[in-house]
Amino acid sequence: MKFVSWNVNGIRAAVTKDFKQIFADIDADFFCVQETKVQAGQIDLSFPGYTSYWNYAERKGYSGTAIFCRPQPLAESYTLDGQDFKEGRSVALEFDDFYLVTVYTPNIQAELARSAFRQQWDDAFLAYMKKLDSKKPVIICGDFNVARHDIDLKYPDEARGTAGFSDQERLCFERLINAGFTDTFRHLHPDATGIYSWWSYQNFARKRNDGWRIDYFLVSNRIADRVAGAEILTKIKGSDHAPVVLILNT
């Protein structure tokens, strides 16, 4: 099974930058997107053989997530176990043998201004993932808005303590890992350097590969041995993020 996750930074803008062709070329069974920035009815986007599931933020032009998938899910959810943050930040689909969850984690913002909300979100998300994992394996993907280790960004010393690399964010991410999940990219590429999933639009950051790895696929530990591939498609443009890929043996 092939899974893809991509923060498109506006799905309407991505469509003008070859999103449809990229989607077709990647040929995934499950294609998850974050930061769609649309409301219901603002875009007509469909692909033969896929069904789509969208979660829209109440605020226009903000956040939003979606999953396009070939298999039909048993159930779908757009809240964190009933907690609705009104920002369209997650979609969870249940299948016979696993759950698939895509997430766009809130940005803690400059000077950690949104730290209280981020902590509330992280606590709720952790509790929900643990609950799902108690029933069947979970595959989690998306933009987590945090670089995990020094190896996951170009200039860790300069970024330490700032948004995306604060102690709070990193601790919350490790709580998720320690709850029974595997970072699939590091599982297969434990020492790989210079491979990132996000670059600022400023100062030619992508050209200089001044990036951060903040987009992930996590899987329940008990299916980590089924991970056959985990890559970041750094050459694909169309967003300030690159698509992230997971190949899972059936």
Side-chain angles (χ1 to χ4, degrees):
M1 293 184 292
K2 187 175 187 179
F3 301 79
V4 170
S5 174
W6 194 9
N7 181 323
V8 293
N9 195 8
I11 190 68
R12 287 175 292 183
V15 166
T16 70
K17 302 173 184 176
D18 295 326
F19 176 81
K20 292 180 180 180
Q21 188 60 56
I22 292 168
F23 186 103
D25 290 344
I26 290 177
D27 192 28
D29 299 295
F30 306 86
F31 201 114
C32 305
V33 293
Q34 305 88 40
E35 208 170 358
T36 56
K37 297 184 178 181
V38 291
Q39 307 296 117
Q42 287 188 319
I43 189 170
D44 181 11
L45 184 62
S46 61
F47 298 93
Y50 291 84
T51 304
S52 60
Y53 302 85
W54 298 74
N55 193 1
Y56 307 104
E58 287 191 353
R59 176 179 163 188
K60 293 183 178 179
Y62 182 73
S63 190
T65 49
I67 298 177
F68 298 84
C69 58
R70 285 175 169 142
Q72 292 295 310
L74 304 174
E76 59 199 83
S77 176
Y78 303 94
T79 67
L80 300 185
D81 199 21
Q83 296 190 60
D84 189 353
F85 289 82
K86 309 294 185 181
E87 295 188 353
R89 291 189 176 274
S90 68
V91 178
L93 302 180
E94 180 183 2
F95 297 92
D96 288 334
D97 301 321
F98 62 90
Y99 290 96
L100 174 61
V101 180
T102 193
V103 60
Y104 177 42
T105 302
N107 191 311
I108 205 169
Q109 297 184 352
E111 299 183 0
L112 313 187
R114 217 180 184 199
S115 60
F117 180 80
R118 175 63 176 265
Q119 187 68 59
Q120 182 184 6
W121 169 273
D122 282 337
D123 289 346
F125 189 76
L126 174 62
Y128 186 36
M129 294 306 98
K130 290 170 69 174
K131 181 176 180 179
L132 294 183
D133 187 50
S134 71
K135 300 175 182 178
K136 61 181 72 173
V138 186
I139 300 163
I140 313 168
C141 68
D143 176 1
F144 283 81
N145 262 314
V146 61
R148 187 179 176 194
H149 297 308
D150 286 14
I151 198 175
D152 293 314
L153 68 166
K154 184 73 171 287
Y155 298 112
D157 291 338
E158 295 179 12
R160 204 173 312 279
T162 64
F165 206 52
S166 69
D167 291 343
Q168 174 186 329
E169 294 164 298
R170 296 171 70 196
L171 176 61
C172 286
F173 191 85
E174 290 308 309
R175 286 170 59 204
L176 183 59
I177 294 293
N178 293 335
F181 293 94
T182 296
D183 175 351
T184 60
F185 182 81
R186 283 292 168 226
H187 179 65
L188 294 188
H189 312 284
D191 302 313
T193 60
I195 303 176
Y196 309 119
S197 66
W198 173 79
W199 304 261
S200 171
Y201 279 131
Q202 300 178 345
N203 301 320
F204 303 100
R206 190 159 190 170
K207 184 177 181 179
R208 295 185 292 108
N209 199 29
D210 177 5
W212 300 51
R213 188 175 74 99
I214 61 175
D215 301 87
Y216 301 82
F217 266 101
L218 310 180
V219 300
S220 297
N221 287 345
R222 61 190 181 278
I223 61 169
D225 61 348
R226 292 169 51 191
V227 175
E231 305 295 334
I232 303 174
L233 305 181
T234 57
K235 294 183 179 180
I236 291 181
K237 304 301 196 299
S239 170
D240 51 348
H241 293 251
V244 181
V245 179
L246 170 69
I247 307 295
L248 199 66
N249 289 329
T250 56

